[in-house]
């Protein structure tokens, strides 16, 4: 249980405990199928994807409409019952599961794609829509979602908005800060805030939709979103490169920006430990011989000739300067998919046989991989630590640092935290690039929030104004007072 593993967190005494009368009231609101109380069914909602935290919720609510969410929140607000909103439960910082007995509010049944505007290039959808399903629907209109994650088959648009998800193509299409055009949210008191007009430009007062971006369920329940969608590319190429030195990864990144220019859609890196993990644990075939680093460089374009010419020029330059040892290029969907699988399933491979300590850091490029060496040295004598590895969105300066162990080990935790956060701060980085703060990093927000003390007090003021009873995802994001 989370509470056993992290004894510094205590249950907020002002929050009520759920009783039979509450369950009966929820059943009246949602119907019996909208309320789950059976022990076996609760387990999946109480446990996070990485299996690092486990809550003790006794009730899961599954509303189907915004009115139902509103009624649930009004009732929880009156009864001072805490709520943990949950999307696809793929979050990696322990934000999507309860810490104690908070009610889980699952958004999975609010999964309607409301409409698509093919001219403006926008999609209106409910929060529980699975990312991949929205993407598949958009293809019919020649559009795509502006972001893509390894968790696309399970994560939901509401969860993506609430974590301000980054992903594999941010280098090209930008972050949700720009692509989120509208939000519908239910506030702690049950009020429905509707900012779903979806105008690309709208300066009528405060940009309220942005409040819910990255709020991780602490300011309201996101029930709908409008997302700006780029045109689906008609020509896609993907190069996989093998390199023997990280400095060459950085020069290759620069070369890709210079030569591939407006067609560059993704630039990812993984080290040999990650490649070994997907090969050995998942049986995926490595595309190249052995190298210290592998890069995936993708282009999205509209003209195969133009795309192909640019990719050729890029590869020729890499061969001429000697930065890349080996490489392969694919443009058939099945081959590209096989390459992406290797990158997208690294976390699954690393966490398969034990416990994974996972850190999601923004770092200046010259420091990007250094922390992997630092942690290998630091954990050298610690038997329980099996591997230290790094991969991530090198185009965005976002490293995923991983320490693999057979099981959770307190000594490793203390060797990693707060050391990694201190190191990151000292080197001008951020302790959360795209995964958020959730439960795992809330304790550290006071010291390491990238934007400093005044921002923390402003966050607290916003939280108090919108959720005066602290019922929305307590123990997450903000440090204990
Ligand atoms: P959940 O995990 O269910 O919830 C995440 C947080 O949002 C929680 O705090 C929850 O309370 C809150 N929340 C969820 N839905 C709502 C809602 N409707 N209203 C209010 N609050 C809500 N992340 C990236 O950014 N980039 C990546 O490339 C990436 N790759 C991943 C690859 C894998 C294999 C996995 C497992 C995860 C990856 N992630 C990545 C992390 C995760 O997928 C994202 O954070 C994703 O956006 C979470 O969406 P979700 O629906 O699963 O949300």
């Amino acid at each position: 249980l989370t509470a056993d593993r992290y004894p510094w967190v205590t249950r907020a005494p002002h929050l009520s405990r759920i009783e039979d009368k509450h369950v009966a009231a929820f059943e009246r609101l949602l119907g019996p199928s909208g309320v789950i109380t059976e022990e076996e069914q609760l387990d999946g909602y109480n446990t996070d994807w990485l299996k690092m935290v486990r809550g003790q919720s006794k009730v899961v609510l599954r509303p189907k409409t915004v009115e139902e969410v509103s009624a649930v929140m009004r009732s929880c607000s009156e009864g001072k019952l805490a709520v943990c909103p949950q999307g696809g439960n793929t979050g990696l910082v322990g934000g999507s599961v309860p810490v104690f007995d908070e009610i889980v509010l699952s958004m999975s049944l609010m999964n309607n794609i409301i409409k698509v505007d093919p001219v403006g290039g926008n999609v209106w959808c409910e929060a529980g829509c699975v990312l991949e399903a929205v993407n598949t629907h958009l293809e019919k209109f020649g559009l795509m979602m502006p972001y893509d994650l390894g968790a696309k088959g399970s994560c939901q648009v509401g969860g993506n908005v609430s974590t301000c998800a980054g992903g594999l193509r941010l280098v090209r299409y930008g972050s949700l800060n720009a692509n989120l055009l509208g939000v519908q949210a239910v506030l702690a008191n049950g009020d429905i805030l509707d900012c779903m007009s979806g105008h690309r430009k709208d300066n009528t007062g405060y940009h309220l939709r942005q409040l819910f971006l990255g709020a991780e369920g602490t300011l309201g329940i996101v029930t709908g979103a409008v997302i700006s969608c780029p045109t689906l590319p008609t020509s896609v190429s993907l190069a996989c490169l093998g390199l023997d030195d990280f400095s060459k990864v950085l020069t290759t990144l620069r070369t890709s920006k210079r030569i591939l220019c407006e067609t560059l859609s993704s630039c990812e890196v993984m080290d040999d430990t990650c490649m070994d993990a997907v090969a050995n644990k998942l049986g995926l075939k490595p595309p190249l011989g052995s190298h210290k680093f592998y890069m995936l460089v993708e282009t999205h374009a509209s003209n195969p000739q133009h795309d192909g010419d640019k990719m050729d020029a890029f590869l020729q330059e890499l061969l001429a300067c000697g930065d890349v040892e080996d490489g392969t290029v694919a443009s058939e969907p099945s081959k590209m998919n096989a390459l992406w699988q290797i990158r997208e399933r690294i976390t699954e491979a690393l966490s398969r046989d034990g416990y994974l300590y996972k850190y999601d850091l923004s770092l200046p490029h010259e420091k990007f991989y250094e922390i992997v060496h630092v942690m290998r040295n630091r954990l050298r004598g610690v038997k329980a630590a099996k591997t230290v590895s790094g991969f991530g969105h090198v185009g965005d300066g976002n490293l995923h640092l991983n320490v693999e162990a057979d099981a959770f080990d307190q000594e490793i935790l203390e060797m990693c935290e707060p050391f990694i956060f201190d190191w990151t701060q000292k080197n001008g980085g951020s302790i959360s690039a795209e995964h958020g703060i959730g439960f795992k990093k809330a304790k550290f927000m006071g010291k390491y929030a990238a934007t400093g003390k005044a921002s923390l007090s402003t966050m607290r003021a916003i939280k108090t104004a919108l959720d005066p009873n602290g019922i929305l995802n307590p123990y997450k994001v903000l440090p204990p007072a």
Side-chain angles (χ1 to χ4, degrees):
L1 292 179
T2 307
D4 299 335
R5 188 171 281 176
Y6 303 98
W8 50 264
V9 60
T10 51
R11 190 181 180 284
H14 73 283
L15 295 172
S16 307
R17 290 184 193 276
I18 190 119
E19 297 172 28
D20 290 347
K21 66 173 185 191
H22 299 123
V23 176
F26 290 133
E27 282 178 350
R28 280 195 298 279
L29 287 176
L30 306 179
S33 64
V35 182
I36 298 175
T37 51
E38 289 82 25
E39 195 92 16
E40 328 69 84
Q41 286 192 54
L42 292 173
D43 207 40
Y45 293 95
N46 269 318
T47 312
D48 73 317
W49 194 90
L50 279 174
K51 300 200 168 33
M52 62 182 174
V53 283
R54 201 165 105 224
Q56 306 160 58
S57 183
K58 300 268 179 278
V59 183
V60 174
L61 303 180
R62 287 160 41 100
K64 290 196 215 62
T65 63
V66 63
E67 289 77 21
E68 287 186 352
V69 176
S70 165
V72 164
M73 288 314 300
R74 189 153 289 129
S75 167
C76 290
S77 178
E78 280 160 15
K80 292 207 173 54
L81 289 166
V83 172
C84 173
Q86 190 175 94
N89 197 12
T90 66
L92 298 173
V93 287
S96 53
V97 297
V99 175
F100 295 100
D101 54 351
E102 301 90 278
I103 293 166
V104 175
L105 188 64
S106 166
M107 299 305 290
S108 297
L109 299 184
M110 286 193 66
N111 58 1
N112 291 308
I113 298 171
I114 303 164
K115 66 173 175 175
V116 176
D117 169 6
V119 180
N122 303 332
V123 62
W124 281 251
C125 60
E126 290 184 333
C129 289
V130 170
L131 172 59
E132 194 167 50
V134 183
N135 233 342
T136 305
H137 183 76
L138 286 170
E139 280 174 18
K140 294 179 212 156
F141 299 88
L143 298 170
M144 59 180 266
M145 287 293 262
Y147 58 92
D148 186 14
L149 329 176
K152 57 178 148 275
S154 308
C155 69
Q156 300 176 3
V157 172
N160 302 149
V161 169
S162 301
T163 54
C164 193
L168 302 163
R169 303 217 165 77
L170 190 138
V171 75
R172 166 71 171 274
Y173 299 107
S175 84
L176 269 169
N177 285 294
N179 292 315
L180 180 72
L181 301 182
V183 155
Q184 184 190 60
V186 174
L187 304 180
N189 63 6
D191 285 356
I192 300 172
L193 183 72
D194 199 319
C195 308
M196 291 282 276
S197 64
H199 299 306
R200 217 159 269 267
K201 294 171 145 185
D202 185 2
N203 278 349
T204 49
Y206 301 141
H207 290 216
L208 293 177
R209 65 175 186 270
Q210 300 286 345
L211 266 183
F212 300 91
L213 200 50
E216 300 182 60
T218 62
L219 298 181
I221 312 294
V222 175
T223 48
V226 190
I227 311 271
S228 159
C229 304
T231 300
L232 195 64
T234 44
S235 173
V236 180
S237 304
L238 181 60
C240 178
L241 310 169
L243 309 93
D244 287 337
D245 183 334
F246 190 74
S247 66
K248 293 179 178 170
V249 171
L250 294 185
T251 49
T252 302
L253 168 62
R254 287 190 76 178
T255 308
S256 70
K257 286 187 182 178
R258 179 165 52 80
I259 298 183
L260 301 173
C261 202
E262 80 286 356
T263 62
L264 179 68
S265 55
S266 188
C267 190
E268 300 282 310
V269 71
M270 68 187 92
D271 66 15
D272 49 355
T273 310
C274 297
M275 183 62 90
D276 291 349
V278 284
N280 299 334
K281 295 188 189 189
L282 304 179
L284 301 185
K285 191 169 171 290
L288 306 172
S290 264
H291 299 279
K292 281 255 167 279
F293 298 97
Y294 302 86
M295 290 179 81
L296 286 179
V297 180
E298 186 198 60
T299 54
H300 276 184
S302 59
N303 180 327
Q305 181 69 44
H306 178 73
D307 187 22
D309 288 350
K310 285 205 160 196
M311 189 52 100
D312 284 349
F314 171 58
L315 296 175
Q316 270 168 26
E317 167 107 8
L318 295 182
L319 287 176
C321 69
D323 283 349
V324 167
E325 303 292 315
D326 193 5
T328 177
V329 184
S331 47
E332 305 83 17
S334 61
K335 286 196 181 146
M336 290 193 289
N337 188 41
L339 290 172
W340 274 124
Q341 285 287 304
I342 291 171
R343 163 62 186 84
E344 291 179 9
R345 296 182 68 190
I346 295 171
T347 302
E348 179 190 339
L350 292 172
S351 60
R352 197 172 179 101
D353 304 326
Y355 187 87
L356 192 65
Y357 299 80
K358 202 161 176 47
Y359 300 92
D360 161 47
L361 312 171
S362 265
L363 288 164
H365 279 107
E366 69 276 11
K367 292 284 173 188
F368 189 90
Y369 197 72
E370 195 177 313
I371 185 69
V372 179
H373 296 302
V374 169
M375 289 311 293
R376 280 181 182 151
N377 283 334
R378 188 169 164 81
L379 292 168
R380 186 150 287 143
V382 181
K383 263 207 186 126
K386 290 200 301 190
T387 69
V388 179
S389 60
F391 69 94
H393 315 293
V394 67
D396 311 322
N398 177 189
L399 173 77
H400 297 316
L401 167 71
N402 308 278
V403 177
E404 210 186 344
D406 284 325
F408 175 79
D409 183 281
Q410 188 65 28
E411 185 190 1
I412 299 181
L413 183 68
E414 284 165 18
M415 294 290 276
C416 291
E417 299 175 18
F419 177 84
I420 292 169
F421 303 141
D422 274 329
W423 190 94
T424 301
Q425 191 177 54
K426 206 171 71 202
N427 286 288
S430 163
I431 67 162
S432 173
E434 59 175 9
H435 292 164
I437 296 297
F439 170 73
K440 286 298 303 287
K441 289 182 260 182
K443 181 181 158 192
F444 300 103
M445 266 287 274
K447 185 161 177 210
Y448 303 102
T451 43
K453 271 205 174 111
S455 73
L456 197 62
S457 55
T458 308
M459 286 186 214
R460 280 199 199 282
I462 294 171
K463 171 74 176 168
T464 308
L466 290 184
D467 180 20
N469 293 320
I471 60 169
L472 278 168
N473 224 4
Y475 326 107
K476 315 283 172 60
V477 182
L478 295 172

